[in-house]
């Protein structure tokens, strides 16, 4: 049974973990083929070969040459077909996803299985014909291929169907787990934005504007604060928003921060070409990176903190980079899970990952921009 909910203190998947999980989902079918259970399968091959030898060589003494040759012939067949249908199927699992095009993948697997099985039959039958019976390969008949191929098709159909159904069930479980982690990440993001520190700082800035008797700026501040909280509340209902919406929200958020910090922070924002307004991001993704930059780095009027947001239209990425001026945070102000939650949300939406790079002087995060297919 699936867990009813994720543990409340469980961190979301990192981008690397999510990518690894996605790769595993493409290859997990190999676990349902029994070819890696060597002791069990060899025992089974021995038993099957013995049974076939007793069936095809009735009345033969177990130690007679005829029985031993028949047993060796059957054992080479069963082991060869087992290996030829096990490892190539696992190789295919790493290159073709069952869930993307199941019928096409099934036909490819079946055709591949028939070809390698035919090669095994040719190798075993030809070897016995030439090296034991001392006859030319031209004496091979079609009848020697029909029964082994039919048996291979039946067993292969059973094994591939079983593997496909078990793998599909596991993929469904992983999808449900990712959905829960995405919901948890969105809830965590919402809680961060409604954090008392942000509201407290905003109200302090608003109080200063009122005391300075600046009604115009105070009115604008209230409107921008309202816009920020409206966006945050609306965002919890959406998996993605347009980049244009996110950047408009970021402008409102930056207005509040500039009002509070003055010239202590300088942010360079990109212009959004009209042709790229269909690009999407998870809601609050860009704002989270700006919030992290402001939270973890010192600002001053004399030497403002520089933050640069750049858009690479060709690569479909958005990069946020800032100077590194680490400052000590009060206890409880930062959970350290912001980027992990963002990575988990991206893992739910796409195979592309959030790229994080840092040097002694700069911290840089690159977000992939999504498009509707």
């Amino acid at each position: 049974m699936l867990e009813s909910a994720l543990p409340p203190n469980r961190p979301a998947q990192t981008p690397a973990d999510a990518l690894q999980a996605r790769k595993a989902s493409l290859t997990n079918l190999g676990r349902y083929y029994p070819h890696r259970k060597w002791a069990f399968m060899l025992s089974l091959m021995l038993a099957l070969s013995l049974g076939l030898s007793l069936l095809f060589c009735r009345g033969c003494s177990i130690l007679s040459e005829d029985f031993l040759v028949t047993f060796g012939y059957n054992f080479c067949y069963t082991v060869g077909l087992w290996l030829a249908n096990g490892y190539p199927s696992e190789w295919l699992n790493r290159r073709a996803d069952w869930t993307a095009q199941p019928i096409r993948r099934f036909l490819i697997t079946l055709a591949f299985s028939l070809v390698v099985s035919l090669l095994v039959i040719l190798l075993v039958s030809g070897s016995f014909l030439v090296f034991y019976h001392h006859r030319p390969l031209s004496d091979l008949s079609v009848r020697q291929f029909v029964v082994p191929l039919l048996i291979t098709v039946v067993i292969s159909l059973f094994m591939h169907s079983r593997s496909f159904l078990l793998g599909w069930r596991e993929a469904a479980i992983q999808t449900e787990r990712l959905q829960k982690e995405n919901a948890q990440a969105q809830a965590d993001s919402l809680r961060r934005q409604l954090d008392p520190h942000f509201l407290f700082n905003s109200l302090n800035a608003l109080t200063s504007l009122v005391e300075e008797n600046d009604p115009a700026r105070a009115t604008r501040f209230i409107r921008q604060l309202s816009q920020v909280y409206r966006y945050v509340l609306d965002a919890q209902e959406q998996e993605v928003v347009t980049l244009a919406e996110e950047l408009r929200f970021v402008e409102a958020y930056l207005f509040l921060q500039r009002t509070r910090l003055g010239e202590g922070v300088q942010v360079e924002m990109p212009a959004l070409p009209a042709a790229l307004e269909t690009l999407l991001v998870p809601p609050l993704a860009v704002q989270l990176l700006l919030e992290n930059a402001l939270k973890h780095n010192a600002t001053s009027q004399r030497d403002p903190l520089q933050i640069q947001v750049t858009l690479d239209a060709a690569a479909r990425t958005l990069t946020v980079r800032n100077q590194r001026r680490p400052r000590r945070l009060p206890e409880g102000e930062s959970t350290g899970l912001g980027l992990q939650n963002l990575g988990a949300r991206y893992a739910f939406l796409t195979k592309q990952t959030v790229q994080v790079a840092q040097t002694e002087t700069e911290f840089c995060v690159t977000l992939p921009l999504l498009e509707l297919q």
Side-chain angles (χ1 to χ4, degrees), residues 174-300:
Q174 289 180 349
T175 299
E176 185 169 344
R177 184 175 294 117
L178 278 173
Q179 288 174 336
K180 290 179 179 179
E181 292 188 352
N182 182 60
Q184 181 68 39
Q186 289 180 330
D188 289 344
S189 180
L190 178 62
R191 282 196 295 270
R192 280 197 312 275
Q193 295 309 317
L194 297 177
D195 186 82
H197 291 96
F198 175 73
L199 181 59
F200 176 77
N201 292 332
S202 298
L203 291 178
N204 275 344
L206 178 59
T207 300
S208 298
L209 292 177
V210 173
E211 291 175 347
E212 292 171 4
N213 195 22
D214 191 345
R217 290 186 64 196
T219 300
R220 185 183 176 191
F221 187 93
I222 292 172
R223 287 176 179 169
Q224 298 286 14
L225 182 62
S226 174
Q227 181 179 337
V228 165
Y229 273 78
R230 170 58 60 188
Y231 182 87
V232 169
L233 293 174
D234 290 342
Q236 63 180 318
E237 305 296 333
Q238 304 178 63
E239 292 181 352
V240 291
V241 295
T242 66
L243 181 59
E245 289 179 283
E246 178 75 3
L247 292 184
R248 283 195 293 269
F249 160 68
V250 164
E251 288 287 0
Y253 173 79
L254 287 176
F255 174 81
L256 301 180
Q257 297 293 4
R258 290 191 188 103
T259 302
R260 182 172 69 88
L261 300 172
E263 296 300 322
V265 59
Q266 294 182 0
V267 182
E268 179 183 337
M269 295 291 294
L272 184 65
L276 297 180
E277 288 190 356
T278 57
L279 297 177
L280 307 172
V281 292
L284 310 176
V286 180
Q287 182 275 335
L288 168 67
L289 302 182
L290 294 173
E291 179 190 52
N292 278 351
L294 295 172
K295 180 185 295 184
H296 294 280
N297 296 278
T299 61
S300 70

Side-chain angles (χ1 to χ4, degrees), residues 68-85:
L68 293 177
V69 170
T70 303
F71 175 79
Y73 191 80
N74 289 322
F75 184 72
C76 290
Y77 258 131
T78 54
V79 172
L81 292 174
W82 158 46
L83 295 176
N85 285 276

Side-chain angles (χ1 to χ4, degrees), residues 324-344:
R324 288 194 65 196
R325 298 176 183 172
R327 70 182 184 91
R328 181 175 298 178
L329 295 176
E331 186 176 355
E333 185 173 337
S334 176
T335 62
L337 298 178
L339 287 178
Q340 288 187 14
N341 287 335
L342 182 59

Side-chain angles (χ1 to χ4, degrees), residues 104-163:
R104 177 175 176 272
R105 166 59 204 273
F106 178 78
L107 294 176
I108 290 175
T109 303
L110 186 59
F112 200 86
S113 178
L114 288 174
V115 170
V116 295
S117 298
L118 187 63
L119 293 176
V120 169
I121 295 171
L122 179 62
L123 178 63
V124 174
S125 298
S127 298
F128 271 87
L129 185 68
V130 173
F131 297 109
Y132 179 74
H133 297 289
H134 304 291
R135 295 163 56 189
L137 284 175
S138 57
D139 286 352
L140 285 174
S141 65
V142 176
R143 290 181 301 174
Q144 293 176 275
F145 294 86
V146 174
V147 174
L149 280 178
L150 288 176
I151 295 175
T152 299
V153 168
V154 173
I155 295 177
S156 181
L157 284 174
F158 170 77
M159 295 305 300
H160 294 320
S161 300
R162 174 180 176 273
S163 174

